[in-house]
């Protein structure tokens, strides 16, 4: 039974599901395509919000795998552009971020699920199928964020003036830094150079008026970013 106003579960499909990939890292998209193998049909890819909106409209996939953070706006911008004109397309967030504000923000924008990039190929294939059938899918620890947000403060925006100063990439770097990653490890995780990591850390320190990574780590932990 479906709640009033909710999208009806999709009818059973014949053949492979049609999937579209949105991520600003070409190497990651290639890896996902290879891991999914013959389980689904990957009908297109995009690395920016503009490309995603245009190509999703053209290909009409069943499910879009959507990165949260991209240089020109990220997954939420794609969702907001597509949800009214293409309500039949289901979106599953696939991100390195497991921060509460990212999870809640994407779900509020219309994603049907949110899984992290540590997910196995078999689990990802199953998540895609479940989202296509109308289910909501989350990596285990992320479901609690959504339940807490909608049960305790269903209409409250997820906002933090200090956090809002930071770009999406700066937030990703901060989160990994607070978890104890070295600059080299952060660079590898985010597919960027060590010099770029150093620049992002300097920008975060300046914006938050802090002097070292230990202060940043405490600040991030207080906001449940770690």
């Amino acid at each position: 039974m479906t709640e009033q106003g909710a999208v009806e579960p999709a009818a059973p499909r014949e053949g492979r599901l049609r999937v579209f990939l949105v991520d600003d890292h070409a190497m990651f998209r290639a890896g996902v395509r290879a891991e999914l193998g013959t389980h689904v049909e990957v009908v297109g890819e995009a690395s920016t919000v503009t490309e995603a909106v245009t190509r999703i409209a053209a290909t009409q996939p069943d499910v879009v795998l959507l990165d949260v953070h991209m240089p020109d706006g990220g997954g939420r911008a794609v969702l907001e552009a597509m949800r009214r004109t293409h309500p039949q397309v289901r979106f599953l967030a696939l991100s390195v971020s497991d921060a509460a504000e990212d999870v809640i923000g994407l779900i509020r924008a219309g994603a049907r699920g949110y899984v992290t990039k540590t997910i196995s190929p078999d689990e990802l294939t199953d998540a895609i199928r479940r989202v296509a059938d109308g289910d909501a899918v989350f990596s285990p620890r992320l479901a609690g964020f959504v339940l807490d947000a909608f049960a305790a403060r269903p209409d409250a925006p997820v906002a933090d003036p200090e956090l809002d100063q930071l770009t999406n990439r700066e937030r990703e770097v901060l989160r990994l830094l607070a978890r104890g990653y070295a600059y080299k490890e952060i660079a590898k995780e985010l597919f960027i150079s060590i010099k770029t990591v150093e620049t992002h850390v300097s920008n975060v320190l300046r914006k938050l008026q802090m002097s070292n990574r230990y202060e940043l780590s405490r600040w991030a932990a207080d906001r449940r970013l770690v």
Side-chain angles (χ1 to χ4, degrees):
M1 186 169 62
T2 305
E3 294 183 3
Q4 186 175 2
V7 177
E8 291 290 339
R13 293 173 172 81
E14 296 181 0
R16 292 183 297 167
L17 289 169
R18 304 173 74 253
V19 174
F20 193 98
L21 309 178
V22 181
D23 194 288
D24 60 329
H25 296 117
M27 289 178 61
F28 179 76
R29 296 198 308 272
V32 171
R33 182 187 282 270
E35 287 179 347
L36 292 177
T38 59
H39 298 295
V40 304
E41 179 186 0
V42 178
V43 297
E45 301 179 9
S47 60
T48 68
V49 171
T50 301
E51 286 179 354
V53 170
T54 301
R55 295 176 186 176
I56 292 169
T59 56
Q60 298 286 313
D62 298 308
V63 176
V64 176
L65 292 181
L66 188 65
D67 193 12
V68 177
H69 298 307
M70 294 185 291
D72 62 338
R76 186 165 187 166
V78 176
L79 277 162
E80 290 172 347
M82 300 298 300
R83 63 184 177 184
R84 290 188 178 87
T85 57
H86 296 79
Q88 78 283 3
V89 178
R90 306 294 172 89
F91 290 84
L92 173 62
L94 176 62
S95 177
V96 69
S97 171
D98 59 1
E101 75 273 9
D102 287 335
V103 178
I104 297 165
L106 264 290
I107 299 306
R108 287 191 189 279
R112 293 293 301 175
Y114 193 118
V115 295
T116 61
K117 289 181 178 179
T118 57
I119 193 171
S120 72
D122 288 343
E123 289 171 334
L124 180 57
T125 300
D126 181 64
I128 291 169
R129 289 174 177 157
R130 289 171 60 193
V131 165
D133 288 337
D135 291 341
V137 180
F138 300 94
S139 292
R141 72 180 294 264
L142 306 186
F145 295 155
V146 178
L147 292 173
D148 290 347
F150 284 86
R153 301 178 64 197
D155 300 317
V158 180
D160 183 323
E162 288 186 302
L163 188 62
D164 288 345
Q165 298 180 74
L166 307 182
T167 67
N168 290 332
R169 182 62 84 194
E170 288 167 353
R171 295 185 194 190
E172 289 182 326
V173 170
L174 170 61
R175 191 171 296 118
L176 295 175
L177 190 72
R179 290 176 179 174
Y181 281 56
Y183 285 5
K184 183 178 180 180
E185 294 171 322
I186 296 173
K188 182 178 180 180
E189 181 78 14
L190 299 180
F191 301 94
I192 58 179
S193 70
I194 295 175
K195 182 65 174 177
T196 300
V197 173
E198 293 173 347
T199 299
H200 286 314
V201 173
S202 294
N203 289 339
V204 173
L205 287 168
R206 174 178 52 81
K207 290 179 179 180
L208 299 180
Q209 299 181 5
M210 295 180 186
S211 58
N212 58 62
R213 66 179 296 167
Y214 303 106
E215 291 181 353
L216 287 177
S217 296
R218 288 196 298 271
W219 185 90
D222 288 343
R223 285 160 174 76
R224 298 178 64 188
L225 300 180
V226 180

